[in-house]
Amino acid sequence: MYSAVTNPRQCLARLGVTLCLGLCLAISAGTSEAFAQSGNTDTVPGNRIGMARELLSTGRFTSAASILESLVSDSTHHVEGRVLLLRLRQDSYLRSKGQALALSRQLQRLPKDDLIVNGDSLVLELRLRHLQLTLSPIKSASAMDRRRAQAASDLLKRDLSHPLALLERATEALILNDLKKVSDYAQSALELDPRSHQAYVMKFRILAESKRFHEIDVLSAQMQEMLPENPYGWTMAGYSAFRQRNLERAETQFQAALERMTYDLRRAYIDATSYFRDDVAGQSGQDSVAFSLNYWVDNDPLHLTPVNERMLEHFARLTYADLYYSDVYSDRIGWETDRGQFIARYGEPDLVARVTRKEPGFSIFDLSEAQRREEMFRPMPETLEDDLLKESKTSDRFEKWVYGDESFQFYDTWWTGTYVLYSPSAFAFSRIPNLRDDVIEARNYFVKEPMRTHFRLPGARIPLTFVSTRMRVEGKTPDQSSDAEMDVIVAQGVPVPYRPRQGALNSPVRIGSFLTGLRHGMAGRYTEEFELLESYSIVSLDNTMFWSHSNTLRVPSDDTYTLSVEYQSLPSGAVYGVERTDVAPLAGTDEDGGPAVSDLLLCYYVEEGLQNSEFTEQGFRRYGHEMFPAPDVLFSPGEPLYVYFEVYDLTSGNAGRSTFSIETVLVPAERERGGVSGLFSRLLSRKRTAAVSVTFAAEGNTAVVPYYILLDTDNVEPGEYDLAIRIKDGLTGKTASSMRTIMLQ
């Protein structure tokens, strides 16, 4: 029975990666709809501001922003339009610090009497907004500069329930790590303005800190209802579902988020090329989007599941980085910061050590020169158990992140809340020659290991055994561009507890073989579900029974692939197996006109010359041969060892027939093999002794000559051996060879 397992490329398509559909279409559509409803009066400022208010009240911020931008560009003195646009660019998911700061400066230059909208003075609100854009919240919370805090107090004196002032209080409480106050202030702001993006972000931060994922689900549903265009509610729902290991729901939520993102944001979520130093996309002849899609397919931990767990893990990491490290003051998305980069690449660190202060502190640059030197050149503790507060290199805000045996230091020397990788000054290096520069260390580490996954599939994992064999496409002649594709034969073995008496095991299973590459993505796939595992397909290997199955994957021969052989019990997938290996392209036609030979296919039996009606159900067929491919390179001494291979590009003689010789050797394996040509060279120089060596003549009358031999291992000692075959063209004398390592035990 054929399995309806979701194709990973279809899975990616469902996740909204059709990047050509940028959000500009949504903006255009929303604006057109709004103007259409207003008839022919859309050039009147009063009508447009009314439409903008209505769109804002229903959470359609994108369309409202488009109308407001048009309004303020046409009416240079329209105060309300500028204020509404400022709120959008500063507080909503459409934030842009550059545009918000420009609007704020324009409004600051207006007389106070002009800053009145609907009878309310906006002077205090605009003052606080301007300080939020120009003054770090860290300095305000640490008493270095209390102007932001004072502006919030002045605004609360006039309006005890002003959402902007409450959120400023929440920001200060977050810096001081007073999570109770953060939650209270954010909740109050949210009750006053249920469409406040920043209030939702604050609440999500507190809930994520305490891992209250069910409450995140409730809050996400509320945000999705109140702000239907905002992708944030969907990304947080996806993050929560992923952390609860509800992967199908996580995929659905992240898909909805991607569909609501701007083109640039959606591309940032999908893009994998930015994590590599080299131009990996250009080297593979693709643009960054195509390469990234193929990269996520290639790194899917289990293709048999309906979701791509690795890509969902990446989306969850980006959401986490944006939630915790988004820098509103410097207008940077979370994963663009130094700490956010580590989250996106490697996930959360194993351990974080922080320098904390209970009372307001000062920057090291406020110290005298003598004090500064004393603070800067204190030795860094060798262990995390030391008192980092007393022993840190500087007296600034400092964090140390630990990933296994690696650690990286971040510091905030200007108290702006922006942590960067620690890089000592030239003066510091002159005093301590071997002082560590974490900027350089991180750059080298990124090259060494660009990304890492921590995702572990649920269930019990069992070992699988398999053998892959490359051959040219069956049935195609050289003039049909046979070099453009290749067949990869996969013989897979699944361990079973016993050999069934009645010919079947009770538990149904799903198996699959997949070839993925960075050029073609999912190039080849085979999946099948079995209700019954027939006893004739069960073999014994090293005192373990394996159910064996073979299939062929046909793929382009211009890429290096990852072969993934997988198994999954049904219906729950509680037991699974996955094994992977690299598969290089099969060598094409020799430019010098020499012959070529396929990989060696190890079999338990081979029969040739059978008609279609004579093939058995359990056999694997190729060029009129029926065979039972071995799922492992392990054989018992004396056990029949059939070797099937195909010879290509032989020179035809009289009557279109070709003649060639086959030399077969079986020699003890060496660690430094030097390839099959080196093996034959050492045999000729008598540096290696063959356990089996035989040469015989053969002929063929087709472009592809299928052939097999039966290798006698009766008198061969147990051990690891190199099995090699060399073909010599009878007319040209040119040779081709192939080799495989086997184990006799």
Side-chain angles (χ1 to χ4, degrees):
M1 181 176 65
Y2 182 75
S3 169
V5 176
T6 305
N7 187 317
R9 292 190 69 86
Q10 295 174 345
C11 177
L12 285 170
R14 292 203 316 272
L15 281 169
V17 295
T18 310
L19 298 179
C20 59
L21 299 178
L23 194 62
C24 56
L25 298 179
I27 295 174
S28 175
T31 306
S32 300
E33 178 185 353
F35 278 105
Q37 293 173 351
S38 65
N40 297 320
T41 61
D42 56 1
T43 58
V44 181
N47 293 331
R48 281 189 282 176
I49 199 67
M51 286 191 298
R53 291 196 204 102
E54 181 180 352
L55 291 169
L56 291 172
S57 67
T58 57
R60 298 167 64 188
F61 288 0
T62 304
S63 299
S66 180
I67 293 175
L68 290 171
E69 286 176 347
S70 173
L71 176 63
V72 299
S73 64
D74 294 343
S75 180
T76 56
H77 298 291
H78 202 291
V79 175
E80 184 179 2
R82 276 180 167 71
V83 171
L84 293 177
L85 188 57
L86 171 61
R87 290 171 179 170
L88 280 177
R89 294 307 184 194
Q90 186 173 355
D91 297 338
S92 76
Y93 63 95
L94 300 175
R95 69 174 185 259
S96 169
K97 183 178 180 180
Q99 295 183 33
L101 190 57
L103 289 165
S104 178
R105 286 170 175 163
Q106 293 172 12
L107 291 167
Q108 289 292 316
R109 289 195 291 265
L110 296 178
K112 292 184 179 181
D113 293 342
D114 291 349
L115 300 177
I116 298 176
V117 175
N118 298 327
D120 292 332
S121 174
L122 302 178
V123 174
L124 294 177
E125 177 190 341
L126 294 177
R127 173 173 170 74
L128 177 56
R129 288 190 176 280
H130 192 71
L131 288 171
Q132 288 176 333
L133 292 167
T134 57
L135 181 63
S136 162
I138 307 292
K139 290 187 176 180
S140 179
S142 62
M144 293 181 185
D145 191 330
R146 297 291 292 173
R147 285 179 293 169
R148 281 183 61 157
Q150 186 59 50
S153 298
D154 294 342
L155 187 55
L156 286 173
K157 288 178 183 178
R158 187 177 67 85
D159 184 354
L160 291 175
S161 59
H162 199 290
L164 181 66
L166 291 173
L167 288 174
E168 178 63 23
R169 287 282 190 258
T171 301
E172 183 173 334
L174 183 62
I175 293 168
L176 300 176
N177 204 33
D178 190 340
L179 302 185
K180 176 66 167 59
K181 285 187 176 180
V182 176
S183 181
D184 292 343
Y185 283 129
Q187 183 62 37
S188 298
L190 199 57
E191 291 172 356
L192 292 167
D193 182 6
R195 291 185 172 83
S196 172
H197 175 84
Q198 293 301 325
Y200 282 109
V201 172
M202 290 282 188
K203 287 288 292 183
F204 282 132
R205 174 75 178 269
I206 299 303
L207 295 176
E209 192 84 27
S210 54
K211 296 180 172 55
R212 290 144 63 183
F213 298 116
H214 292 295
E215 294 182 47
I216 291 179
D217 294 338
V218 174
L219 190 63
S220 298
Q222 177 184 338
M223 188 176 188
Q224 292 170 9
E225 179 182 358
M226 301 307 299
L227 296 169
E229 291 182 347
N230 190 339
Y232 207 89
W234 277 269
T235 56
M236 284 307 304
Y239 168 77
S240 176
F242 181 83
R243 292 298 301 269
Q244 297 175 75
R245 301 191 74 87
N246 188 345
L247 301 182
E248 293 190 22
R249 182 173 186 272
E251 181 200 25
T252 301
Q253 296 298 319
F254 279 126
Q255 174 193 351
L258 289 167
E259 291 170 353
R260 289 164 172 79
M261 290 179 185
T262 62
Y263 175 87
D264 290 338
L265 184 58
R266 188 185 308 132
R267 189 182 184 110
Y269 258 76
I270 297 297
D271 183 42
T273 60
S274 59
Y275 300 99
F276 298 88
R277 184 181 66 176
D278 298 331
D279 181 16
V280 289
Q283 291 172 2
S284 62
Q286 306 171 90
D287 61 32
S288 61
V289 174
F291 174 88
S292 298
L293 296 180
N294 293 337
Y295 176 85
W296 296 122
V297 170
D298 196 40
N299 285 272
D300 187 353
L302 193 67
H303 300 296
L304 284 177
T305 58
V307 300
N308 187 326
E309 295 86 355
R310 178 63 185 93
M311 187 166 61
L312 294 179
E313 178 189 39
H314 183 66
F315 291 168
R317 286 178 177 180
L318 295 184
T319 303
Y320 178 93
D322 196 36
L323 179 64
Y324 279 86
Y325 305 115
S326 178
D327 195 337
V328 177
Y329 177 70
S330 61
D331 199 26
R332 298 176 72 190
I333 301 173
W335 59 82
E336 294 177 344
T337 64
D338 282 4
R339 292 182 297 176
Q341 268 284 304
F342 275 82
I343 294 294
R345 290 176 181 271
Y346 310 120
E348 299 177 43
D350 302 327
L351 186 63
V352 176
R354 294 186 178 93
V355 172
T356 58
R357 297 182 183 278
K358 294 183 179 179
E359 69 283 344
F362 47 78
S363 169
I364 192 172
F365 297 97
D366 295 328
L367 301 174
S368 67
E369 183 65 19
Q371 291 173 319
R372 188 183 308 173
R373 290 181 182 179
E374 180 182 356
E375 291 290 327
M376 182 175 292
F377 299 116
R378 287 183 179 179
M380 186 65 186
E382 295 296 325
T383 63
L384 292 175
E385 288 74 15
D386 292 341
D387 187 353
L388 288 176
L389 180 58
K390 295 180 181 178
E391 301 295 337
S392 61
K393 290 182 180 178
T394 74
S395 60
D396 306 315
R397 291 157 53 87
F398 178 88
E399 287 189 359
K400 182 174 183 178
W401 286 23
V402 179
Y403 287 95
D405 296 332
E406 297 287 339
S407 63
F408 300 90
Q409 307 154 35
F410 306 86
Y411 75 131
D412 177 15
T413 191
W414 294 108
W415 284 73
T416 61
T418 301
Y419 280 83
V420 297
L421 283 160
Y422 178 70
S423 182
S425 64
F427 176 71
F429 274 118
S430 68
R431 293 286 302 274
I432 307 177
N434 296 323
L435 195 59
R436 173 185 168 114
D437 189 324
D438 283 280
V439 173
I440 297 175
E441 294 294 330
R443 187 181 301 126
N444 294 335
Y445 193 67
F446 291 168
V447 173
K448 176 183 175 183
E449 188 174 9
M451 303 179 79
R452 180 192 307 157
T453 178
H454 292 289
F455 185 84
R456 296 295 178 267
L457 291 163
R461 180 171 179 173
I462 61 174
L464 304 177
T465 180
F466 70 95
V467 177
S468 63
T469 306
R470 302 166 303 166
M471 297 186 176
R472 290 189 184 176
V473 174
E474 182 179 8
K476 287 192 176 181
T477 59
D479 59 351
Q480 294 175 312
S481 303
S482 58
D483 288 350
E485 292 183 308
M486 65 177 178
D487 286 344
V488 179
I489 301 169
V490 182
Q492 173 181 355
V494 178
V496 294
Y498 59 89
R499 185 183 298 275
R501 293 183 180 180
Q502 302 300 324
L505 291 177
N506 295 327
S507 177
V509 300
R510 176 187 294 136
I511 66 168
S513 301
F514 307 88
L515 280 171
T516 59
L518 297 179
R519 185 183 298 273
H520 298 289
M522 180 61 71
R525 58 181 285 115
Y526 171 89
T527 62
E528 193 165 356
E529 293 180 6
F530 294 89
E531 296 290 340
L532 306 176
L533 303 184
E534 299 297 341
S535 59
Y536 55 68
S537 296
I538 295 179
V539 297
S540 179
L541 299 171
D542 195 20
N543 298 320
T544 302
M545 286 183 292
F546 287 85
W547 174 76
S548 180
H549 183 79
S550 301
N551 61 81
T552 301
L553 300 174
R554 183 162 297 175
V555 295
S557 56
D558 61 347
D559 199 0
T560 297
Y561 297 97
T562 298
L563 171 63
S564 182
V565 178
E566 301 179 2
Y567 162 90
Q568 190 179 42
S569 64
L570 297 176
S572 62
V575 180
Y576 75 96
V578 56
E579 304 291 344
R580 294 191 169 173
T581 189
D582 292 334
V583 176
L586 182 65
T589 302
D590 190 343
E591 294 182 358
D592 296 332
V597 63
S598 70
D599 289 344
L600 306 182
L601 178 61
L602 306 178
C603 302
Y604 294 121
Y605 79 81
V606 178
E607 286 192 57
E608 65 175 321
L610 299 180
Q611 302 300 319
N612 289 335
S613 59
E614 297 177 296
F615 284 112
T616 60
E617 182 179 351
Q618 65 268 32
F620 179 81
R621 309 168 193 177
R622 190 170 174 92
Y623 283 114
H625 290 66
E626 181 180 71
M627 60 200 81
F628 188 178
D632 200 293
V633 296
L634 179 64
F635 291 82
S636 300
E639 180 182 7
L641 173 53
Y642 290 83
V643 183
Y644 173 87
F645 55 93
E646 295 170 0
V647 184
Y648 315 109
D649 305 332
L650 290 167
T651 304
S652 299
N654 296 330
R657 299 188 66 82
S658 56
T659 60
F660 58 98
S661 64
I662 302 174
E663 181 181 3
T664 305
V665 296
L666 183 68
V667 298
E670 290 184 350
R671 291 296 179 187
E672 301 296 332
R673 294 187 174 90
V676 64
S677 59
L679 183 149
F680 281 101
S681 298
R682 289 190 293 275
L683 281 173
L684 291 174
S685 62
R686 300 185 180 276
K687 292 182 178 180
R688 295 184 69 180
T689 302
V692 176
S693 179
V694 60
T695 302
F696 52 91
E699 61 179 18
N701 57 3
T702 59
V704 178
V705 180
Y707 215 92
Y708 77 93
I709 60 174
L710 174 59
L711 197 64
D712 183 6
T713 61
D714 280 337
N715 299 317
V716 180
E717 294 293 326
E720 187 178 16
Y721 290 86
D722 288 335
L723 170 62
I725 289 179
R726 180 162 62 177
I727 306 299
K728 184 176 182 180
D729 193 314
L731 292 179
T732 65
K734 295 182 178 180
T735 63
S737 53
S738 184
M739 183 176 70
R740 187 182 289 279
T741 299
I742 67 170
M743 176 71 73
L744 297 179
Q745 181 174 313

